[in-house]
Amino acid sequence: MPLPPARSTTNGDGRRPGADQPHTVSVVVPIYRGEHTIGDLVAELHRTTEPATSPGGAAYVVEEIVLVHDHGPDRSDVVLAELERSYPEVRVIWLSRNYGQDAATIAGMSAAQADWIVTMDEDGQHDPAAIGAFLDAALNERADLVYSKPSNTRPHGFLRNITSRGAKIVLATVFAFPDSTRFESYRLIRGDIGRQLAGVASNGVYLDVALTWVVGTVAQVPVALRAEGREESGYNYRRLFSLFWKMVLCSGTRGLRVVSLLGVTLALIGVALAAVFAYEALTRDNWAPEGWTSLMVVLLLVSGAILFSLGLIAEYLGVALHVLVGKPLYLTVDSPTPRPARDLSSTVTSRGTDRVEH
């Protein structure tokens, strides 16, 4: 019986990353409010564009930095245009409007060209020095996806940290998503997987959930998070809840199973109460339950469950409708929305930034 063909270890052109040449890395950064932070991050990443060796001995190099402009409220577009002129490895992807962090990240992944794709935030809390350790974990564990694992308390407020952790626990227990507890925006993805996933991702997709559909082995690397380079986070609680709800809707039919379970639970409660009432009526004289109180409690409980179920089903139908009518996940344009001339007199300020001429 002939043996199946061996899995290719090349990039399709005969070269073998790590053997014939260093592993190449594309860094993708979605930009929403990065006017005052992205310059410092690019300056750090620029120092990784020279060939380096990971702690485990793997040769790698960051060959491009893909910055995705997601139409934030600040002057990020001016700064990004200056960075693209100053650094030859920087490429800017301009989105036609604000689509959100996931869509912007997927747009950057679609444009990335390297063997590996690293995604990170714009605010400086992710240390580029961890890229080598990510690559070691991917090679040693034969993992196509590597997440950062924060080794310190997140540099956010207590309430945001506790709600974020609670949301991940709910996803892991109620919606059977154990991997959600390790979802992080600082991650390394095998390049061909990232590009193909970006090509088929539809509107409403949550990137980390989509990655669970196509990736087998996942690794984690401890990383110390740094303080954000700005005072106010780009996420408020409304945006965070929106992300949580998107994860719920992307979990397949698990949400509908919760609706079914809710219906079964209420039916069992009804049967139990009916049995109690029948027993009391048969064994006690002149017994009757409190009419208005019990009736209102049951009505509120059942009607609330029905409305919640209908709302969840409607959300699923909304996601399906967006896919059917062809609503795009994102749309790119050739240049940012033009600004008045007076708004273009801006320079990039960053600590220790070495400007590179083309």
Side-chain angles (χ1 to χ4, degrees):
M1 179 178 179
L3 294 176
R7 176 180 173 182
S8 174
T9 58
T10 70
N11 287 330
D13 56 4
R15 57 190 178 90
R16 297 173 298 169
D20 302 327
Q21 67 169 33
H23 294 270
T24 58
V25 177
S26 296
V27 177
V28 173
V29 187
I31 311 295
Y32 179 68
R33 291 176 60 244
E35 177 184 358
H36 301 295
T37 59
I38 190 58
D40 287 344
L41 178 60
V42 169
E44 282 190 278
L45 288 170
H46 172 67
R47 293 191 283 271
T48 67
T49 57
E50 295 294 330
T53 302
S54 70
Y60 74 97
V61 61
V62 173
E63 71 171 15
E64 62 176 351
I65 304 169
V66 182
L67 308 178
V68 186
H69 180 246
D70 195 27
H71 269 260
D74 61 1
R75 292 159 51 89
S76 292
D77 55 327
V78 178
V79 176
L80 295 184
E82 176 64 23
L83 288 170
E84 190 172 35
R85 288 190 295 267
S86 301
Y87 294 94
E89 67 272 13
V90 169
R91 284 197 296 142
V92 180
I93 306 297
W94 306 101
L95 299 186
S96 61
R97 65 167 177 85
N98 174 246
Y99 288 93
Q101 182 179 6
D102 262 18
T105 303
I106 291 172
M109 289 166 51
S110 177
Q113 300 174 350
D115 304 322
W116 300 90
I117 299 172
V118 168
T119 66
M120 59 197 313
D121 290 348
E122 65 186 16
D123 52 23
Q125 68 173 327
H126 297 151
D127 188 352
I131 293 176
F134 281 16
L135 183 58
D136 285 340
L139 298 176
N140 293 335
E141 301 184 36
R142 300 195 66 193
D144 295 322
L145 173 63
V146 179
Y147 281 113
S148 62
K149 182 178 182 180
S151 58
N152 58 330
T153 303
R154 298 176 185 277
H156 307 303
F158 173 77
L159 183 59
R160 175 174 166 180
N161 286 338
I162 197 69
T163 52
S164 176
R165 181 63 180 171
K168 290 183 177 181
I169 292 175
V170 168
L171 286 166
T173 54
V174 178
F175 295 96
F177 246 119
D179 286 344
S180 66
T181 56
R182 57 185 177 185
F183 289 170
E184 295 288 337
S185 57
Y186 193 14
R187 45 174 111 73
L188 177 138
I189 310 164
R190 204 174 93 186
D192 52 353
I193 289 179
R195 283 184 288 275
Q196 291 186 71
L197 180 62
V200 300
S202 59
N203 185 272
V205 70
Y206 190 89
L207 176 56
D208 289 305
V209 174
L211 285 168
T212 65
W213 301 338
V214 297
V215 170
T217 305
V218 181
Q220 283 185 293
V221 171
V223 174
L225 296 178
R226 305 183 297 190
E228 294 185 9
R230 59 191 176 206
E231 294 182 1
E232 182 181 357
S233 172
Y235 280 94
N236 53 34
Y237 287 101
R238 181 185 64 81
R239 287 171 62 87
L240 290 171
F241 177 77
S242 176
L243 287 176
F244 167 76
W245 196 240
K246 184 186 288 187
M247 292 174 69
V248 171
L249 296 179
C250 284
S251 63
T253 58
R254 291 185 179 95
L256 296 177
R257 292 173 188 170
V258 171
V259 171
S260 301
L261 181 61
L262 179 62
V264 171
T265 302
L266 290 176
L268 292 176
I269 292 175
V271 171
L273 288 176
V276 170
F277 293 159
Y279 175 79
E280 294 289 345
L282 293 174
T283 58
R284 293 176 56 182
D285 295 331
N286 300 321
W287 179 90
E290 294 291 338
W292 285 107
T293 303
S294 58
L295 180 62
M296 290 304 296
V297 168
V298 171
L299 282 176
L300 289 173
L301 180 65
V302 174
S303 61
I306 292 174
L307 289 175
F308 169 77
S309 303
L310 290 176
L312 184 59
I313 293 171
E315 293 278 3
Y316 275 103
L317 292 176
V319 172
L321 178 62
H322 287 162
V323 175
L324 289 175
V325 301
K327 182 179 180 181
L329 176 61
Y330 62 87
L331 190 72
T332 62
V333 292
D334 294 332
S335 62
T337 304
R339 285 181 176 271
R342 63 177 180 275
D343 289 345
L344 298 178
S345 57
S346 172
T347 57
V348 181
T349 58
S350 58
R351 297 185 299 273
T353 301
D354 297 324
R355 294 303 172 86
V356 179
E357 299 296 334
H358 289 274

